[in-house]
Structure formats: C-alpha cells, structure tokens
Amino acid sequence: QVQLAESGGGLVQAGGSLRLSCAASGRTFSRYSVGWFRQAPGKERELIAGINWSGDSTYYVAPVKGRFTISRDNAKNTVYLQMNSLKPEDTAVYYCAAVEGWIQSGPDSYDYWGQGTQVTVSS
C-alpha cells in the first residue's frame, strides 16, 4: 500500500516557477514508477511527466518538455516536479500517481493517487 500527498502548488505569474513535491508512505515506494498528471477544468486528466522506479528514465509530453523536470529521492520517498517558465495554460490541478513497473500513459493504469494540488498561472 502506498499513500501519496502532493504539495507546492499555488498562484504564480507567467514566467515564474514552482516546485511540486509528492511525498509517499510505504517502504516499497522505490518499486514504483511515478507520473505527474494534470487536469484543467473541462478537460481530461493527462500525464505530463513520468519517472521510473530508479530515477534513470524520465518521460515528458511535448508542451512541458524543456520547462519541467521530474526527479525523485527514494531515500526521502519523494518525487519532485520542477516547473519553470510557467504559462497560463499550465493552470490545472496537478496529481501524482504511482504504478508498479514501467511508466504508463493512461491514468487507469495507476494504482495510487494523491489528492491533487492547484497550480494557477496568471498572465
């Protein structure tokens, strides 16, 4: 069993930065790949970045590539999402989710979810 809790969201101006954290409980967290998803009002939840269990493989969707960086510290049971050069279209609720095995693109593949954290980027 893994429990996830996101933090670090907030209101930021366009061009600014935020770092989201996803803190996990459970001794087996290092076996799980983690994805960061976001869901804007009226839109589906989408994977934007993922990291495998060891941290040596990452995945980004095109709209965030080069601006966002995902990383993890398994000793601290935490995954991070550094978000730079934020744009108003990045406004959404951001979720982290864990899946045993490889990074998956579909949200239905993930076993555990956090409660989400709101990110609002003003223009």
Side-chain angles (χ1 to χ4, degrees), residues 35-60:
W36 279 101
F37 289 76
R38 68 185 179 188
Q39 187 167 21
K43 295 191 176 181
E44 292 187 352
R45 192 172 298 188
E46 60 172 350
L47 177 71
I48 58 167
I51 190 165
N52 73 335
W53 55 88
S54 62
D56 60 3
S57 179
T58 57
Y59 167 83
Y60 301 93

Side-chain angles (χ1 to χ4, degrees), residues 91-106:
T91 295
V93 178
Y94 284 69
Y95 300 88
C96 63
V99 59
E100 199 162 2
W102 293 100
I103 301 166
Q104 302 290 325
S105 59

Side-chain angles (χ1 to χ4, degrees), residues 46-122:
E46 60 172 350
L47 177 71
I48 58 167
I51 190 165
N52 73 335
W53 55 88
S54 62
D56 60 3
S57 179
T58 57
Y59 167 83
Y60 301 93
V61 295
V64 308
K65 208 167 189 178
R67 300 189 297 124
F68 292 9
T69 302
I70 190 170
S71 62
R72 70 188 296 162
D73 184 341
N74 283 340
K76 295 182 178 180
N77 275 7
T78 303
V79 173
Y80 304 97
L81 186 68
Q82 178 67 42
M83 305 188 296
N84 298 329
S85 303
L86 283 162
K87 305 175 181 180
E89 51 264 43
D90 294 318
T91 295
V93 178
Y94 284 69
Y95 300 88
C96 63
V99 59
E100 199 162 2
W102 293 100
I103 301 166
Q104 302 290 325
S105 59
D108 290 346
S109 299
Y110 286 75
D111 303 305
Y112 303 103
W113 289 86
Q115 81 287 351
T117 186
Q118 176 71 46
V119 171
T120 303
V121 184
S122 63

Side-chain angles (χ1 to χ4, degrees), residues 14-31:
S17 298
L18 285 173
R19 189 176 82 155
L20 305 183
S21 297
C22 173
S25 64
R27 292 177 294 175
T28 61
F29 180 63
S30 60
R31 288 166 37 189

